[in-house]
Amino acid sequence: MSDTRNTVPTEGDLQTAIDALKKSRPELGVARVYAVLRADNPTWQLSEKRVRKYMTSMGLIQSDPAPATIDESVPKSSLAPGDFVQTIGKKQVEVRYIDGTKGKGVFACKDFGRGVNVFEETPFAWYPRWDTVSRSYHTNSDDECQLCARSVERGRSGSRSLMRPVRCSHCTAWYCSNLCKKEADARFHTLECSKHNPHYAQLAQKCRDWDWGAPMGAARAIERVLMEFEHSLERGKLAWQSIKAFATVRADVMDKKRKGASWFMFEQDYEHKWTTTFELMKAALYPPPSECGLAQFDRIPKKILNEMFSYSEWLALIGKYSLNDQNGGFYLLQSCFNHNCDPNCVVTHPNDGKYRAIIQTLRPIKAGEEMTITYVNPRDNLAARQSALREWYMFECSCDRCRKESEA
């Protein structure tokens, strides 16, 4: 009898198989990738060493965690689908998985000088921080653009009048331009229009009353995924995989660690807010009212729907927003930048609404060098920086600057 496992896969076959597997299941490490490949291709003559070599060369190494030692308060992330990130980065940068501690990082594909705008990014989903907009934003939305939050100045003299503000034909939402209106309709407003979905206004008002924006950011992420499914099944799946790839610590785990021994004093109130916003979100979006006009909702895979609208995933989305919030936004590429107290890049915003983000270099960067930003005020001393990073980002910084200052 001949040996049925005698086919050596070509480099192309191996690359295609591993890339497809990591795209659909980015959390898998070498051992599990190897096991799945052998199960799916029983005639392949393949060693784990060869799989590891390829994954290492492509920056796909991710250690398999030991279940007994997993710390749920440590942010977990994975690589987002390459199509989204490559389009944003325009081949100026690439995202690589580093290790189980740092997760992923962004690396330069070419040399950059000081003060270079590397790329500009539109957020995957965005809800403005309420300290940057008026009290009437969303609930009485006639002062700011409902996409970018720039001031809407109608009928006044000056440059703003050239932007030609437009209003939703069904509700009170205003936009600073027709371009913003079209983008908002394609990403979220179809599901939020108060005439078609009055339940959504209840969620917005409750969050406004509590001065808590994270549930709105989480809801916007869900809306973006639902709207991508309206375009195609593939785009919807890629959008959901992209959201899953963001660094994550569940909101309950995060807040329990922040409060420490005093958690018992806050637990009931926090649980009330989580469950209340969860029920309001489901009332608005699961399923959306027929007036919203979504044609593909019933064709979304049940596995994704069940996960997306589960209470556990709601806590994860709120946690994602808290960890990745850049002036209110889920930015697919910007969120991949690791922190450094002496960064070589900075995030800037080109308009007063702080919607779009620009990554700019602070000093020359060589091809292959990791690009970093700071998550905290770099002018703070060591103790203040470390305290802020522990409380808001759930990690201890060990960059060169912190090590030098701790040794001084």
Side-chain angles (χ1 to χ4, degrees):
M1 181 179 292
S2 62
D3 187 354
T4 60
R5 292 187 176 179
N6 59 0
T7 302
V8 178
T10 66
E11 288 299 311
D13 290 340
L14 185 61
Q15 176 181 346
T16 299
I18 293 178
D19 287 352
L21 186 56
K22 289 293 287 183
K23 185 176 182 180
S24 62
R25 301 177 65 184
E27 76 281 0
L28 297 187
V30 173
R32 284 186 283 176
V33 167
Y34 173 68
V36 173
L37 289 176
R38 289 300 300 269
D40 290 347
N41 304 277
T43 63
W44 278 10
Q45 184 177 330
L46 182 65
S47 68
E48 184 174 333
K49 181 179 179 180
R50 186 180 176 195
V51 173
R52 180 179 297 278
K53 181 179 179 181
Y54 172 76
M55 292 178 65
T56 300
S57 68
M58 298 303 295
L60 298 175
I61 290 293
Q62 178 173 336
S63 299
D64 293 329
T69 62
I70 290 178
D71 183 351
E72 291 184 335
S73 68
V74 175
K76 306 296 190 300
S77 66
S78 59
L79 295 175
D83 294 347
F84 282 89
V85 172
Q86 289 173 8
T87 300
I88 298 166
K90 297 179 180 178
K91 298 184 179 180
Q92 305 267 24
V93 301
E94 65 176 351
V95 179
R96 303 177 193 166
Y97 195 90
I98 300 173
D99 56 43
T101 301
K102 292 188 70 175
K104 54 198 173 187
V106 179
F107 295 80
C109 292
K110 54 181 279 188
D111 292 348
F112 292 102
R114 180 181 181 275
V116 174
N117 289 344
V118 181
F119 63 85
E120 180 176 333
E121 182 175 6
T122 298
F124 178 86
W126 190 73
Y127 198 89
R129 294 173 56 174
W130 276 327
D131 59 354
T132 67
V133 293
S134 69
R135 292 289 301 178
S136 63
Y137 179 83
H138 201 122
T139 55
N140 184 22
S141 44
D142 61 355
D143 294 322
E144 290 112 344
C145 175
Q146 292 302 288
L147 178 80
C148 70
R150 282 184 288 195
S151 297
V152 175
E153 301 183 23
R154 301 177 300 281
R156 303 178 188 178
S157 60
S159 60
R160 288 292 184 209
S161 63
L162 299 177
M163 299 181 69
R164 301 182 184 276
V166 294
R167 178 181 172 179
C168 173
S169 58
H170 303 292
C171 69
T172 60
W174 278 88
Y175 301 93
C176 65
S177 67
N178 194 51
L179 184 64
C180 276
K181 181 182 182 299
K182 287 182 177 180
E183 187 170 335
D185 286 342
R187 294 188 173 203
F188 60 85
H189 187 69
T190 298
L191 292 160
E192 292 183 12
C193 180
S194 58
K195 181 178 180 180
H196 297 152
N197 194 349
H199 293 293
Y200 200 91
Q202 297 175 27
L203 173 63
Q205 186 61 59
K206 182 63 69 175
C207 290
R208 189 69 202 174
D209 292 344
W210 287 333
D211 198 24
W212 187 32
M216 299 303 296
R220 282 271 171 94
I222 292 174
E223 292 167 58
R224 174 69 189 276
V225 174
L226 296 181
M227 295 306 296
E228 290 297 329
F229 272 112
E230 288 297 295
H231 289 281
S232 71
L233 180 64
E234 182 63 21
R235 280 181 59 169
K237 288 181 177 179
L238 287 174
W240 182 237
Q241 290 170 16
S242 296
I243 282 294
K244 298 289 287 182
F246 279 94
T248 307
V249 175
R250 278 179 33 146
D252 53 338
V253 175
M254 182 183 299
D255 288 326
K256 183 177 181 179
K257 183 168 183 176
R258 285 174 177 166
K259 298 300 182 183
S262 63
W263 171 241
F264 73 96
M265 299 171 59
F266 301 91
E267 184 175 7
Q268 186 173 356
D269 178 55
Y270 279 43
E271 183 69 32
H272 169 67
K273 290 179 177 178
W274 295 328
T275 55
T276 298
T277 55
F278 174 62
E279 293 302 331
L280 289 172
M281 179 277 295
K282 286 188 68 178
L285 300 176
Y286 189 56
S290 59
E291 291 82 357
C292 293
L294 267 64
Q296 304 302 319
F297 185 86
D298 291 337
R299 299 181 183 179
I300 298 174
K302 293 299 182 184
K303 181 179 180 181
I304 293 179
L305 273 181
N306 291 340
E307 182 180 20
M308 191 186 309
F309 289 100
S310 68
Y311 184 56
S312 176
E313 190 62 31
W314 182 242
L315 293 176
L317 282 169
I318 291 175
K320 286 177 194 287
Y321 183 86
S322 299
L323 279 177
N324 298 280
D325 166 25
Q326 172 63 39
N327 283 302
F330 279 115
Y331 292 87
L332 284 171
L333 187 48
Q334 178 274 328
S335 67
C336 297
F337 280 72
N338 282 315
H339 163 82
N340 195 299
C341 292
D342 183 24
N344 54 22
C345 294
V346 65
V347 184
T348 64
H349 299 275
N351 63 55
D352 59 355
K354 299 187 182 300
Y355 178 64
R356 300 180 187 277
I358 292 176
I359 294 293
Q360 185 179 78
T361 59
L362 292 173
R363 56 178 179 266
I365 298 174
K366 294 291 186 182
E369 182 180 350
E370 184 176 7
M371 306 173 79
T372 59
I373 59 177
T374 180
Y375 299 172
V376 296
N377 189 340
R379 297 184 179 87
D380 286 345
N381 61 29
L382 174 64
R385 297 196 313 271
Q386 292 284 13
S387 176
L389 290 168
R390 281 194 300 270
E391 179 176 2
W392 295 105
Y393 298 97
M394 306 285 117
F395 73 89
E396 297 271 354
C397 182
S398 58
C399 69
D400 290 343
R401 179 184 173 189
C402 285
R403 285 199 297 268
K404 290 176 182 177
E405 290 181 13
S406 65
E407 295 169 358

